[in-house]
Amino acid sequence: MSESVSVAWERRGEKVSSIIAREIVRDIAQRKLSPGDMLESESVMLQRFQVARASLREALRVLEVHGLIRMKPGPGGGPVVSEVDSREFGRMATLFFQVQGIEFSELVEARLIIEPLVARLAAERHDPADGEELREIVERGFAAKTDEDWLTASNDFHAKVLSMSGNGLLSLFARALKDLFTERASGVYVARRRDPVRRVHADVADAIISGEPEVAEQLMREHMSEYAKTVAKREPQLMNEVVDWR
């Protein structure tokens, strides 16, 4: 490297820590690092980027705040790759949701639009292995005896369907919306009869596994519409709340 990162990027008017953070993310992606993998030590990064320790540590703090890494304390510690999932993505998004005054009713409306579409794509593009896992989740829903087991199976069902779109960006966004809303309204189904929900989950799964996109889309739309009505009835105050930063 002929000149330091700080010199090169100060000329462009960009904050040094921002470019270092981007370089670290690029490195994680290119090296295909997994959750739990250690990044380079601070001394190695300082030598590599030729920047001040304060700039490097600021870059690492940015990535830690966004949930991409965590700092392992103690001897042999340092930056470690975190599990990057839809919850972290949704948590970041809530910052912008709150600033823009987006209400839970808008989040519900977005789910009503996106999840039926994803169910359709899942039926068009599904992998047989995904179908087997989806069927197993549905069976767990029928076998659930406790509220906790039922909520887990129900949440897993939607998460699995949303992961089957064949479009990584769409799946990530859809799952993030589900995570945000489920966090606030997960108890709504506990108070109502579970059997109708179990049956519609089974019907959606059948349509997806059988490759019937129109049926899967329509069933999911009806299911999500019923869900939205139930939440609005049982927790009307929630629908008008702004989605706050978590």
Side-chain angles (χ1 to χ4, degrees):
M1 186 177 295
S2 59
E3 60 182 344
S4 70
V5 169
S6 58
V7 172
W9 287 91
E10 280 174 2
R11 290 176 181 174
R12 303 189 189 190
E14 184 165 5
K15 199 170 183 180
V16 174
S17 58
S18 297
I19 185 56
I20 297 173
R22 277 209 301 276
E23 287 294 327
I24 294 172
V25 171
R26 185 177 293 112
D27 190 50
I28 291 173
Q30 289 178 345
R31 292 170 58 193
K32 301 185 186 313
L33 298 182
S34 301
D37 287 346
M38 294 287 297
L39 300 183
E40 296 170 328
S41 67
E42 182 180 272
S43 59
V44 171
M45 287 190 187
L46 287 172
Q47 180 64 32
R48 174 183 173 188
F49 294 117
Q50 293 293 295
V51 295
R53 181 174 279 105
S55 293
L56 174 60
R57 290 182 175 177
E58 183 178 352
L60 293 173
R61 279 196 297 271
V62 168
L63 298 180
E64 187 176 21
V65 167
H66 288 330
L68 298 177
I69 67 169
R70 59 182 175 83
M71 300 305 294
K72 181 180 177 181
V80 180
V81 178
S82 293
E83 181 77 44
V84 180
D85 58 21
S86 56
R87 286 181 176 83
E88 289 298 330
F89 179 77
R91 185 181 62 81
M92 280 197 305
T94 57
L95 170 61
F96 298 90
F97 292 171
Q98 182 168 10
V99 170
Q100 295 192 12
I102 293 175
E103 297 179 352
F104 275 90
S105 59
E106 296 174 89
L107 192 153
V108 172
E109 184 177 37
R111 289 191 68 189
L112 285 173
I113 295 169
I114 293 173
E115 294 206 26
L117 171 62
V118 172
R120 180 186 185 93
L121 291 174
E124 292 175 347
R125 305 174 178 178
H126 81 278
D127 184 296
D130 284 328
E132 292 178 10
E133 184 177 348
L134 184 62
R135 183 78 74 191
E136 185 274 331
I137 292 171
V138 170
E139 291 173 357
R140 280 200 285 114
F142 276 101
K145 302 298 183 184
T146 67
D147 290 344
E148 182 179 0
D149 288 345
W150 162 241
L151 287 173
T152 297
S154 181
N155 186 60
D156 288 349
F157 170 80
H158 283 274
K160 183 58 184 177
V161 171
L162 295 177
S163 74
M164 295 169 65
S165 73
N167 183 306
L169 178 59
L170 185 59
S171 291
L172 177 62
F173 187 69
R175 291 184 68 171
L177 293 181
K178 176 197 68 65
D179 293 337
L180 290 174
F181 195 78
T182 300
E183 180 183 319
R184 296 297 303 277
S186 61
V188 171
Y189 275 147
V190 174
R192 59 179 301 193
R193 292 182 304 122
R194 297 173 184 167
D195 285 345
V197 181
R198 287 169 167 152
R199 286 195 296 270
V200 74
H201 282 185
D203 290 343
V204 171
D206 286 342
I208 290 173
I209 294 169
S210 301
E212 301 178 87
E214 293 84 2
V215 176
E217 181 178 15
Q218 181 60 32
L219 287 172
M220 185 62 86
R221 179 173 290 108
E222 293 172 355
H223 176 45
M224 293 306 300
S225 295
E226 179 64 23
Y227 176 52
K229 291 176 184 177
T230 301
V231 173
K233 180 179 179 180
R234 293 182 180 274
E235 300 186 26
Q237 76 290 342
L238 176 63
M239 304 300 280
N240 295 323
E241 289 183 12
V242 170
V243 182
D244 57 348
W245 184 29
R246 293 304 175 101

